[in-house]
Amino acid sequence: MASQNRYAVAPTVTMLAVMRTRLTGAIKGHALLKKKADALTMRFRQILKKIVDTKTSMGEVLRSAAFAQTEARYSAGEFKYTVFDNVDKASVRVKATMDNVAGVKIPKFEQIVEGADTRMALTGLSKGGKSIQLARKMYADAIQLLVDLASLQTAFLTLDEAIKTTNRRVNALDSVVRPKLENTIAYIQGELDELEREEFFRLKKVQKSKHAKQKIADALRTEKEAAADQNEQPNLANGDNDADIVF
């Protein structure tokens, strides 16, 4: 199983160094991604708590705004068309910005109020003006909550996807990449050790063969020297060549 769960590489010293470098990078990357996942999870839980609180507050605010509109309609009568006539452009706009959390870009919405409309301040001047202004303020608060909730919901979905992606990368590094690199390093080390043993055995065989040849050569040289010494000794039994002795 370990032989299959590895990279198909040549068992060389260079490739061993490359695999060790990749393993070091994978370990560092796993640690950084783990910290990133923890940071995103912490921010995710904070946003989730804010969403729950905002939804609870929005229910109260919308209910109060609906009651305020009903009171204003009871006090001032139907003022819808008067409001339509006095409004030329929206006084509330939404600006989109980006927030950075551990390298993840999160959209953030902000409410921008563009100046007060003086004509709206005169709405209901004859009767019910206070109720109309109260209803307007309540709905302005509701719009602010809606913008905040939209920002939180968008950040919630973005962080949820980023956390899933980061966790998949962490699991891939921990369960796939690191074991394959470790198995590959073990395979290369085993092959290099086997090659080293083979080379050592080969050198021993060569050295043994050289020693045997050297012994044979030394024995032959010794025999030749002994034969040469024996041929150089004089023959005392044969006296024909000796000189005459005169007394």
Side-chain angles (χ1 to χ4, degrees), residues 76-97:
E78 185 59 53
F79 55 88
K80 176 173 64 175
Y81 300 105
T82 305
V83 172
F84 286 165
D85 292 338
N86 291 331
V87 173
D88 294 332
K89 61 179 181 179
S91 61
V92 177
R93 297 183 182 275
V94 178
K95 179 182 178 181
T97 58

Side-chain angles (χ1 to χ4, degrees), residues 60-73 135 138-139:
E60 297 291 336
V61 171
L62 288 176
R63 183 165 55 251
S64 300
F67 279 118
Q69 182 183 7
T70 303
E71 291 177 356
R73 190 173 297 170
M138 296 298 294
Y139 274 105

